[in-house]
Amino acid sequence: MLKAMVVGAGPAGLMAAEVLSQSGVCVDVYDAMPSAGRKFLLAGKGGLNLSHSEPLEAFATRYGSHQRQVQPWLQTFGPEAVQAWAHGLGIETFVGTSGRVFPKDMKAAPLLRAWLHRLRAGGGGAVPVQFHMRHRWLGWVDGGALVNRVRGLRFESAGAELLAGADAVVLALGGASWPQLGSTGAWVDPLVAQGIDVAPLRPANCGFDVTFVNQSGWSPFFAQKFAGLPFKSVAIEVLHHKQHFHRKGEFVATATGVEGSLVYAASALLRDAITSGGSATFHIDLLPDLSAAKVQAEVNHPRGSRSLSSHLKSRLHLDGIKAAVLYEVLGKEGMNSAARLAAAIKHLPITVARPRPVAEAISTAGGVRLEALDQNLMLQRLPGVFCAGEMLDWEAPTGGYLLTACLSSGRLAGQGALRYLQRESGV
């Protein structure tokens, strides 16, 4: 019987294992964690975002500079296929008001349980998948050489080193975000030692630390009072070279800076601007539903004996964190200039000095460069070894795009491994 090994029990690895087992291949899945899908479960804690309902042409653009390489994955297993796959596991889905696709119960655990049960049970021509948990991949046996078409791998489990081999290997080891859940990036050195081109791992969908001319970070008052609170119903704008980002939504102040959905969506631009220029500035529109002329008129309206804070609250409903950030950026002098204040309400500059560490990020940019792989996601320098998921050099915003590409790349790698096994064995 043909034998394959999958290293990594996240969505990409499990999808590769599913493709292989359903085709009659004996599959062993290895993972360093005590149970499968740890990051998948945590990502779904607030509501598992499976995919997005927008047309595939628009969906593919979310992968930015890697759209050309990622689009074939999506054509093989795209957002509609992800929904059909979930339905096949008995998980009903719905499309939210934002176009995002969720399980009907919003939870990740029922889907993962159903998936693991199907993989372990086999049947209907599928071979039961064998799981080996608490097995941390260390690298290759004999420098990665093939021995009778079998590639050997080294693992550590319970303090002992173990050896295992397979006719084909799918690596789905994740990036370097949330390392406590298993994605440590420790796979980089063994691959680089084999001459594999790996782009440096960088934070994606991440928060940033703010900076000001006279201070690093928020003032102690702002940080203590407003860290953890959201900027709601705002818009942010980022310009970097010829790229322009502008979107409405919300984000959150942290003790050192900013994070949250709007910031994550712009994080690639901000991160790259910091890399090229040392810092990056985005602008907040605190009242995106009001015109600049309307804001100017309300700021100029006579306030009598009322304080400026009371005036802004009564005329523009600006208070709390929105009012506080104006004081934070403009200072008392700027707040007392009606022209500067009105302009800042619509275009408030926030400068960020650095992204938060990659371990805190939702996902990772960088990884195995796609040029090092063939169209089946096989490493050109290591025949029979395939890579999938977040360990590849691509990135995408949150909103279902990350998970869909992990699943589709896992499926493509599984199909590639199957073709390789069949060709090498003469089946």
Side-chain angles (χ1 to χ4, degrees), residues 91 105 172 192 251 276 290 315 354 360 366 398:
I91 304 298
D105 62 6
V192 170
F251 65 96
S276 62
L290 295 184
R315 302 301 303 184
R354 67 194 67 84
E360 297 179 15
T398 57

Side-chain angles (χ1 to χ4, degrees), residues 143-192:
L146 282 170
V147 179
N148 295 326
R149 295 201 304 269
V150 174
R151 195 172 294 280
L153 288 85
R154 300 163 47 234
F155 294 90
E156 183 273 327
S157 181
E161 183 171 320
L162 306 173
L163 306 181
D167 302 306
V169 176
V170 177
L171 300 178
L173 289 155
S177 61
W178 297 355
Q180 68 274 23
L181 301 178
S183 297
T184 64
W187 52 266
V188 171
D189 288 345
L191 286 185
V192 170

Side-chain angles (χ1 to χ4, degrees), residues 28-316:
D28 288 281
V29 174
Y30 290 80
D31 194 277
M33 301 305 289
S35 58
R38 287 292 183 95
K39 187 175 178 182
F40 177 75
L41 287 174
L42 186 60
K45 192 172 182 181
L48 179 64
N49 188 184
L50 279 172
S51 193
H52 200 287
S53 62
E54 66 187 353
L56 184 59
E57 294 75 16
F59 192 100
T61 66
R62 308 302 183 182
Y63 300 90
S65 61
H66 292 109
Q67 176 184 347
R68 180 181 60 82
Q69 295 103 322
V70 174
Q71 194 156 1
W73 312 353
L74 304 174
Q75 290 169 340
T76 300
F77 194 77
E80 290 186 0
V82 169
Q83 292 185 68
W85 165 78
H87 297 163
L89 288 168
I91 304 298
E92 295 184 52
T93 61
F94 73 96
V95 179
T97 55
S98 64
R100 298 182 180 193
V101 177
F102 299 91
K104 190 173 182 180
D105 62 6
M106 297 292 288
K107 297 178 181 178
L111 187 152
L112 183 60
R113 282 197 299 268
W115 195 7
L116 292 173
H117 174 75
R118 186 164 74 182
L119 290 171
R120 290 187 172 110
V127 178
V129 174
Q130 303 298 314
F131 285 83
H132 308 267
M133 309 311 296
R134 294 187 172 89
H135 280 67
R136 181 170 60 91
W137 184 57
L138 300 177
W140 313 101
V141 177
D142 296 327
L146 282 170
V147 179
N148 295 326
R149 295 201 304 269
V150 174
R151 195 172 294 280
L153 288 85
R154 300 163 47 234
F155 294 90
E156 183 273 327
S157 181
E161 183 171 320
L162 306 173
L163 306 181
D167 302 306
V169 176
V170 177
L171 300 178
L173 289 155
S177 61
W178 297 355
Q180 68 274 23
L181 301 178
S183 297
T184 64
W187 52 266
V188 171
D189 288 345
L191 286 185
V192 170
Q194 294 298 312
I196 307 303
D197 194 5
V198 178
L201 299 179
R202 300 180 293 163
N205 292 295
C206 58
F208 293 84
D209 292 338
V210 301
T211 186
F212 298 94
V213 173
N214 298 317
Q215 65 187 45
S216 176
W218 302 118
S219 67
F221 170 80
F222 187 94
Q224 291 168 13
K225 188 166 184 178
F226 296 102
L229 297 183
F231 290 94
K232 291 189 174 183
S233 301
V234 298
I236 70 171
E237 182 179 32
V238 183
L239 293 172
H240 178 55
H241 294 162
K242 295 182 179 180
Q243 296 177 284
H244 178 221
F245 175 91
H246 183 273
R247 188 176 302 175
K248 290 174 62 175
E250 64 180 72
F251 65 96
V252 176
T254 68
T256 62
V258 292
E259 65 179 18
S261 57
L262 266 185
V263 172
Y264 298 156
S267 62
L269 275 183
L270 292 171
R271 183 198 64 221
D272 293 347
I274 291 170
T275 299
S276 62
S279 65
T281 298
F282 67 93
H283 290 84
I284 313 174
D285 185 344
L286 295 169
L287 298 173
D289 296 325
L290 295 184
S291 68
K294 174 66 173 175
V295 169
Q296 183 72 68
E298 294 298 344
V299 170
N300 288 338
H301 192 278
R303 59 185 172 97
S305 61
R306 290 183 302 178
S307 68
L308 179 58
S309 294
S310 296
H311 180 65
L312 293 177
K313 183 176 181 180
S314 64
R315 302 301 303 184
L316 291 168

Side-chain angles (χ1 to χ4, degrees), residues 3-16:
K3 184 176 181 180
M5 180 189 302
V6 174
V7 187
L14 294 179
M15 182 58 78

Side-chain angles (χ1 to χ4, degrees), residues 316-330:
L316 291 168
H317 305 292
L318 272 177
D319 60 356
I321 194 171
K322 287 186 177 181
V325 77
L326 286 168
Y327 279 98
E328 189 79 359
V329 175
L330 296 178

